[in-house]
Amino acid sequence: MKWINNIILIASLFVNMDHTTAQTYHSEALQEAASFGKYRAIGVSVNAANRLFVSFPRQNTDYQYGLTEIVNGERVPYPNDEWNKDGDEQNHFVSV
């Protein structure tokens, strides 16, 4: 019988919980964060600090970066330009 009381208590906590915090950041409108033109993004991630990261495949001769952070709508190589250049796997991305 004690476990039933615990279930009822937990259920009542969820029902009475204030849901306004989750809705504070909600928007019905979609907003474009960045545009990549001819480059095809294959991975998108947002971290806890709300930083946006996007990865791209190495597929053409006009390849630029494997991993970027989007800053003010622009692709910025992450962690830097050197890591996104061709080179050995100790100091460069081989595949993202």
Side-chain angles (χ1 to χ4, degrees), residues 14 21 38 45 47 52 75 93:
F14 283 116
T21 304
K38 63 183 176 183
S45 182
N47 73 3
L52 177 61
R75 296 183 310 144
F93 291 130

Side-chain angles (χ1 to χ4, degrees), residues 12 16 20 26 29 34-35 40 44 54 68 72 85 95:
S12 67
N16 294 323
T20 58
H26 180 73
S35 179
R40 181 177 48 127
V44 177
V54 181
T68 62
N72 297 322
K85 292 180 180 177
S95 180

Side-chain angles (χ1 to χ4, degrees), residues 9-82:
L9 175 64
I10 292 170
S12 67
L13 288 174
F14 283 116
V15 169
N16 294 323
M17 203 167 34
D18 181 14
H19 297 288
T20 58
T21 304
Q23 295 174 358
T24 302
Y25 301 105
H26 180 73
S27 172
E28 294 297 326
L30 292 175
Q31 296 179 357
E32 184 177 287
S35 179
F36 309 122
K38 63 183 176 183
Y39 299 103
R40 181 177 48 127
I42 58 171
V44 177
S45 182
V46 178
N47 73 3
N50 211 28
R51 293 170 63 188
L52 177 61
F53 296 91
V54 181
S55 61
F56 299 89
R58 182 184 305 264
Q59 63 183 9
N60 297 331
T61 57
D62 56 349
Y63 168 84
Q64 284 187 316
Y65 311 118
L67 182 60
T68 62
E69 180 178 7
I70 304 304
V71 179
N72 297 322
E74 299 295 322
R75 296 183 310 144
V76 177
Y78 184 86
N80 57 42
D81 192 48
E82 188 62 32

